[in-house]
Amino acid sequence: MECGLHDEHVGVERALAEIRAGRPVVITGEGGPVLTVGIEGLDAEQVAGLDTAGGARLVLPAARLRRLGLERTAAGTLALPAIDLARIERLTLALDAALDAPVGPAAPIDEAALELARLALILPALLVVPLPEAASAAVAGLMSVPAEAIGRYRSGEIERLRIVGRAPVPLEGAPDTEFVVFRGGEGLRDQVAVIIGRPDLGGAVAVRLHSACLTGDLFGSLACDCGDQLRSTARAMAAGGGGIILYLDQEGRGNGIANKIRAYRLQSRGFDTFDADEALGFEFDGRRFDFAAAMLRQLGVTKIRLLTNNPHKVAALREAGLDVVAEERVIGRRTPENIRYLTAKRDRAGHRLDPDAPTADTAAKTRSDPA
């Protein structure tokens, strides 16, 4: 990567750390510099130090605006003549909130602020305050980053993707397993390729893209089928000639663990998984899989049999240039707690599964060690 691009990439990473910590960041671009801070980090002390005479605004994504009653496919802004924390919280999070002012268009610099929030895995809602042209981030002591650099960040992460460690890690049911750790791909996080057995990399390799699910994978949550899919896939690969599980740090469909738990709270109140995300300002699925294709290429894989129920993953890998020669379903347990979740994935996201079929518990148990 050229020196200039490297420097701007580092700048975005530092801005991500600042905005994630609740501190303001200056974004520069068309229309002049703006100070931006995530709603999560906004408090009375910060507000007291802001000069809002230049036209402060609340930037909200299209999903949250739809929840507020405005059919919209693009982000928008609400003017803030005065910064009222209670009003901002209501517009950002309240389930019964409605718009109380006209919504203006989001400028490119506002879209960059939203992208920074998404990359930082915070709520996609921000306070944006225009700064005088003469204002200096150095004088204010704040991190400054160009809007264009934020827009280029994801593609730069793919180019920087590299292997940083690998070692054998025997697993229960799949003792001949190697973990390969990649740095890059998504934000500041590491990704893992779990190579099970000895797959023939010259042929069609069995591959699963598995987005991390702390609640399901580690704690056995009954609200999803993720942990069952992960373990049954590992066992099936071990018994069937090997394969590769890409364990991707994409908790909550790319929204992060904090937002996933916020969504779970809404689901406990009757929302389905997609409506819960929309209420928080997220679209159907925030994940991208182009970097997963890059991981596979670095491992020498170009032809795959994809183990998934999600047609979006198939399309994404084909668009990235991989040869997906077959698709195979991955079935987990059906429980009273996850039936609505599975049904929503089938009916609203096109996942190829049947929540009404007989439960997979028995089939899964026959593939595992006897109880």
Side-chain angles (χ1 to χ4, degrees):
M1 184 177 291
E2 296 178 5
C3 183
L5 292 178
H6 172 76
D7 290 344
E8 77 169 26
H9 203 83
V10 171
V12 176
E13 290 178 346
R14 290 175 177 170
L16 286 173
E18 290 295 291
I19 202 108
R20 186 167 169 79
R23 293 186 288 266
V25 168
V26 173
I27 302 178
T28 60
E30 184 180 351
V34 299
L35 180 148
T36 184
V37 60
I39 297 308
E40 287 187 32
L42 198 60
D43 57 31
E45 183 178 351
Q46 282 184 325
V47 169
L50 295 177
D51 178 6
T52 61
R57 55 190 182 265
L58 176 65
V59 180
L60 294 175
R64 180 60 188 174
L65 292 173
R66 291 195 297 269
R67 178 67 197 176
L68 293 172
L70 181 65
E71 278 304 313
R72 189 129 179 152
T73 58
T77 63
L78 287 92
L80 297 174
I83 301 180
D84 180 342
L85 289 176
R87 179 188 177 217
I88 289 173
E89 183 176 0
R90 182 175 68 254
L91 289 169
T92 303
L93 286 172
L95 298 179
D96 58 352
L99 290 169
D100 57 10
V103 175
I109 209 163
D110 299 322
E111 296 281 5
L114 281 174
E115 176 68 356
L116 193 66
R118 295 187 188 103
L119 287 166
L121 303 180
I122 63 174
L123 281 172
L126 301 108
L127 171 66
V128 170
V129 182
L131 296 173
E133 285 289 348
S136 165
V139 172
L142 300 177
M143 184 66 208
S144 178
V145 61
E148 290 184 355
I150 297 172
R152 288 191 288 261
Y153 181 78
R154 288 185 191 260
S155 59
E157 276 292 276
I158 297 173
E159 293 174 8
R160 292 162 57 90
L161 189 72
R162 66 195 189 280
I163 295 173
V164 294
R166 60 193 305 163
V169 181
L171 303 179
E172 182 178 359
D176 184 12
T177 295
E178 180 184 25
F179 276 45
V180 182
V181 180
F182 289 77
R183 185 145 297 156
E186 283 279 289
L188 307 179
R189 306 182 296 281
D190 292 340
Q191 317 295 336
V192 181
V194 183
I195 304 176
I196 297 172
R198 308 286 171 167
D200 176 9
L201 301 184
V205 179
V207 170
R208 172 163 175 77
L209 310 186
H210 189 94
S211 297
C213 176
L214 176 70
T215 50
D217 296 343
L218 182 59
F219 291 99
S221 168
L222 299 176
C224 68
D225 59 345
C226 303
D228 295 323
Q229 290 182 316
L230 178 62
R231 283 177 279 278
S232 66
T233 296
R235 290 192 298 266
M237 286 179 174
I244 300 174
I245 299 174
L246 297 189
Y247 195 78
L248 309 175
D249 194 348
Q250 298 176 319
E251 188 80 49
R253 287 194 293 272
N255 302 333
I257 184 63
N259 291 316
K260 173 181 173 176
I261 295 303
R262 291 183 176 115
Y264 268 28
R265 181 174 178 82
L266 297 181
Q267 290 176 54
S268 73
R269 300 174 63 175
F271 285 67
D272 76 19
T273 181
F274 299 108
D275 286 338
D277 281 349
E278 183 179 65
L280 295 171
F282 297 102
E283 297 294 343
F284 254 47
D285 197 328
R287 293 173 295 179
R288 301 183 186 187
F289 300 103
D290 43 6
F291 73 94
M295 291 171 67
L296 290 170
R297 285 198 185 90
Q298 288 198 29
L299 293 173
V301 177
T302 58
K303 184 182 296 185
I304 63 175
R305 295 185 291 112
L306 193 60
L307 281 64
T308 185
N309 305 319
N310 185 349
H312 174 59
K313 292 181 180 179
V314 178
L317 291 188
R318 283 179 172 153
E319 186 176 344
L322 292 182
D323 184 8
V324 182
V325 300
E327 305 169 40
E328 300 177 17
R329 303 284 77 82
V330 183
I331 307 300
R333 286 179 298 169
R334 181 177 56 127
T335 70
E337 294 84 359
N338 72 18
I339 188 67
R340 188 178 184 192
Y341 166 76
L342 297 176
T343 301
K345 288 207 297 183
R346 178 194 66 186
D347 294 347
R348 302 191 61 184
H351 285 225
R352 299 182 179 110
L353 45 77
D354 185 2
D356 302 320
T359 178
D361 290 6
T362 303
K365 190 169 184 178
T366 61
R367 292 193 298 268
S368 62
D369 294 332

